[in-house]
Amino acid sequence: MNVRGLLDILKAEDEFEGFIRAADEARARGVGDCVHLRGLIEFSNYCRKDCLYCGLRRSNAALPRYRMAPGEIVEAALEGARMGLGTVVLQSGEDAWYTAGIIEKIVGSIKEQSGLAVTLSVGDRIKRDYALWRRAGADRYLLKHETSDEALHWTMRPGCGLGDRLRNLEWLMDLGYEVGSGIIVGLPGQGIESIARDVSFMRDLGVHMASAGPFIPHAQTPLKGCEPGSVDLTLRVIAAMRLELPWANIPATSALGTLDPLAQLTALGCGANVLMPDITPGPYRKMYEIYPGKVGSLETPAQSFARCRKIVESAGLAVGTGQGGCARLPGRAGRSMANDWTDRKDA
Ligand code: 5AD
Ligand code: SF4
């Protein structure tokens, strides 16, 4: 589909039901009727970056900061395996305290002691670090491009170019990770055309995982007075991603659940097939405040897990067993775009 076709889905009024049905069918055909649960461990809220939208940004002096010890991270992952999860996602701000060697040991230890798939989500690093972690057994990597509008990207993520993000995504693909990208929907100044291009961007890159969550303003950021993103538009983006990336694992994001308690269930009917219960241990979970009021932050890990299972059952789908990886082979599936993406006007 070209950008114009994608715009039709994002803007559709009367025909929208039809697009949803098509996305739901594409989900069933592309990835089946199981919803995979990924246990999210948010192990450090220190961040060296200063993204305008994010509560973890380094300029937010009001946020109490924490770091989990490596042994504590491994224990939280093993607890996730005992709960019946097949994947853990180790996520943090960009925190140099965790050297490449420390993360290598954490990954190695989890892989040695469990059958878990390990997803890393620790931001921009050098290729050598990504390679080291892959050799240690890391299976997947999440690195959202957030917006493919180059100027907006630069404004929202000061000092960070879209080109560098894309280069990192291609490194990760070359190293054989299953790679995830994603966007924030409703950033101030983001047009709907730019969102349509985001979907094309992820399709062309051939990512294995794709996500979309609505923007939620955080009081301790420069975007505090801005409007939140639209839940309805985010659901349309999910439907468009499913139609364009039928092979991909697509989460019903927590940001959706934060703005509307029913929206994650709705998303499972619009093409999403993944939920990510927060299994971060008690003392820390409230402090990983990317945006305020995050769904589940007041629950225990077991309660988050149970809530996600309930959403899957309400959707009439089954909870997936095992690691629930992407059937599409790792490696660079799409074409190389590092040099030409930002020049393209249509896709
Ligand atoms: N609203 C919605 N999503 C956000 N993220 C960061 N800040 C916000 C916000 N205010 C998302 C980004 C990032 C992930 C960790 O959280 O997509 O990749
Ligand atoms: Fe740091 Fe990620 Fe938040 Fe940006 S979005 S400030 S990189 S945690």
Side-chain angles (χ1 to χ4, degrees):
M1 216 182 298
N2 62 18
V3 168
R4 207 155 300 123
L6 286 165
L7 274 175
D8 285 342
I9 300 181
L10 300 180
K11 289 183 180 162
E13 284 172 18
D14 299 342
E15 328 86 282
F16 187 53
E17 285 300 314
F19 284 127
I20 295 293
R21 213 167 315 118
D24 195 42
E25 283 164 17
R27 190 266 310 144
R29 263 197 320 277
V31 292
D33 290 329
C34 285
V35 175
H36 302 291
L37 303 186
R38 322 293 197 194
L40 182 61
I41 301 170
E42 297 162 330
F43 64 88
S44 161
N45 68 353
Y46 282 86
C47 189
R48 67 188 171 99
K49 290 213 172 131
D50 218 19
C51 304
L52 265 61
Y53 43 78
C54 177
L56 305 194
R57 66 200 303 268
R58 67 161 185 262
S59 301
N60 181 8
L63 181 71
R65 305 280 173 166
Y66 71 90
R67 288 190 176 105
M68 285 171 64
E72 219 179 347
I73 300 170
V74 172
E75 189 39 49
L78 298 179
E79 182 55 29
R82 287 191 287 271
M83 286 166 80
L85 289 160
T87 298
V88 286
V89 180
L90 307 185
Q91 184 169 82
S92 68
E94 294 204 2
D95 184 357
W97 186 90
Y98 298 88
T99 59
I102 290 178
I103 292 187
E104 177 198 21
K105 287 201 183 67
I106 294 168
V107 171
S109 177
I110 295 171
K111 295 300 288 188
E112 215 177 272
Q113 298 180 70
S114 72
L116 288 164
V118 174
T119 304
L120 290 174
S121 177
V122 300
D124 295 319
R125 294 272 189 147
I126 57 174
K127 188 174 184 186
R128 194 169 0 115
D129 294 359
Y130 293 147
L132 186 69
W133 303 335
R134 178 83 186 115
R135 283 199 300 277
D139 303 274
R140 309 181 189 140
Y141 203 101
L142 299 180
L143 190 74
K144 302 187 194 177
H145 72 277
E146 316 290 5
T147 170
S148 62
D149 174 328
E150 223 179 348
L152 183 64
H153 192 102
W154 190 258
T155 309
M156 290 290 146
R157 310 186 66 243
C160 304
L162 177 66
D164 290 345
R165 204 71 167 173
L166 179 52
R167 179 205 56 208
N168 290 358
L169 283 165
E170 293 193 333
W171 281 346
L172 289 162
M173 292 209 145
D174 291 344
L175 288 165
Y177 283 94
E178 280 184 36
V179 175
S181 192
I183 64 164
I184 302 178
V185 175
L187 287 169
Q190 177 193 47
I192 199 163
E193 291 79 10
S194 133
I195 296 177
R197 280 195 296 273
D198 283 318
V199 176
S200 305
F201 175 95
M202 292 188 276
R203 176 202 61 209
D204 289 357
L205 196 56
V207 294
H208 306 90
M209 304 173 276
S211 86
F215 165 65
I216 302 174
H218 187 297
Q220 257 81 43
T221 66
L223 303 185
K224 59 175 178 247
C226 299
E227 284 292 306
S230 149
V231 167
D232 181 65
L233 178 58
T234 306
L235 292 169
R236 290 159 187 259
V237 176
I238 287 174
M241 291 193 306
R242 172 57 67 204
L243 291 169
E244 288 295 88
L245 296 89
W247 61 84
N249 284 318
I250 298 179
T253 44
S254 304
L256 268 176
T258 299
L259 286 187
D260 172 351
L262 284 178
Q264 285 176 295
L265 172 60
T266 312
L268 294 183
C270 296
N273 72 320
V274 167
L275 283 166
M276 297 173 68
D278 182 353
I279 61 163
T280 309
Y284 308 116
R285 43 199 296 135
K286 278 192 298 294
M287 284 187 267
Y288 202 82
E289 203 192 52
I290 295 174
Y291 47 77
K294 191 158 62 149
V295 63
S297 59
L298 300 177
E299 298 168 341
T300 62
Q303 285 168 336
S304 287
F305 183 64
R307 181 175 47 81
C308 288
R309 292 186 69 102
K310 230 192 217 147
I311 295 174
V312 177
E313 282 155 21
S314 307
L317 298 166
V319 173
T321 52
Q323 297 188 341
C326 178
R328 186 163 181 153
L329 287 178
R332 204 186 291 191
R335 58 195 194 74
S336 176
M337 304 194 302
N339 298 323
D340 68 355
W341 169 261
T342 50
D343 296 332
R344 293 166 66 203
K345 295 284 173 275
D346 200 349

